Amino acid sequence: EIGPGETKLIHTGVKVAIPRGYELQVRPKSGISLKTKLRVANTPGTIDSDYRGDVGVVLINHGTEPFDVRQGDRIAQLVVMPFKEIDFEVVDELTETVRADGGFGSTTEKTKNA
């Protein structure tokens, strides 16, 4: 049971061996998102290739009533995605861009005012 406003880790009983260079993403299912106030809290959740434990889903109940998660409920979906490993370099200064350090919506505002 997940109470109103509560966040819980739900164990799925699923274990996977993901190849190096890939990750398993835990994403919400559209049906449960539409029909309930239950949400995957860290979307997408990432499971690394070296993890061998139980795949867990972090759920939050945004509703006003408790929600019972039962065995067999389809609470999330898993997607295997490739990723590129890169080396980062620490630098003293970054290169200049038009956006610079502008935050949310900053590129839209510059386009309107141009």
Side-chain angles (χ1 to χ4, degrees):
E1 181 177 285
I2 305 173
E6 188 175 21
T7 301
K8 277 195 177 174
L9 175 64
I10 306 299
H11 295 282
T12 64
V14 173
K15 292 182 179 181
V16 294
I18 305 159
R20 184 178 169 95
Y22 290 83
E23 67 170 332
L24 190 65
Q25 294 182 357
V26 181
R27 298 183 184 184
K29 300 244 342 133
S30 57
I32 200 164
S33 294
L34 177 65
K35 297 172 187 172
T36 73
K37 297 291 185 183
L38 204 62
R39 302 292 182 263
V40 177
N42 59 328
T43 303
T46 296
I47 299 170
D48 299 311
S49 62
D50 61 345
Y51 180 70
R52 294 295 185 266
D54 182 82
V55 173
V57 179
V58 180
L59 293 179
I60 185 168
N61 181 358
H62 287 293
T64 57
E65 300 294 324
F67 188 93
D68 288 324
V69 178
R70 294 190 163 80
Q71 186 172 352
D73 284 353
R74 295 179 177 196
I75 57 171
Q77 55 192 339
L78 304 175
V79 178
V80 178
M81 294 293 295
F83 68 89
K84 183 174 176 132
E85 292 185 34
I86 61 171
D87 293 321
F88 287 93
E89 180 182 344
V90 177
V91 297
D92 293 326
E93 291 185 30
L94 300 175
T95 58
E96 294 288 327
T97 66
V98 173
R99 184 175 184 180
D101 62 355
F104 296 96
S106 63
T107 55
T108 302
E109 288 303 314
K110 287 180 182 174
T111 304
K112 284 183 193 175
N113 296 329

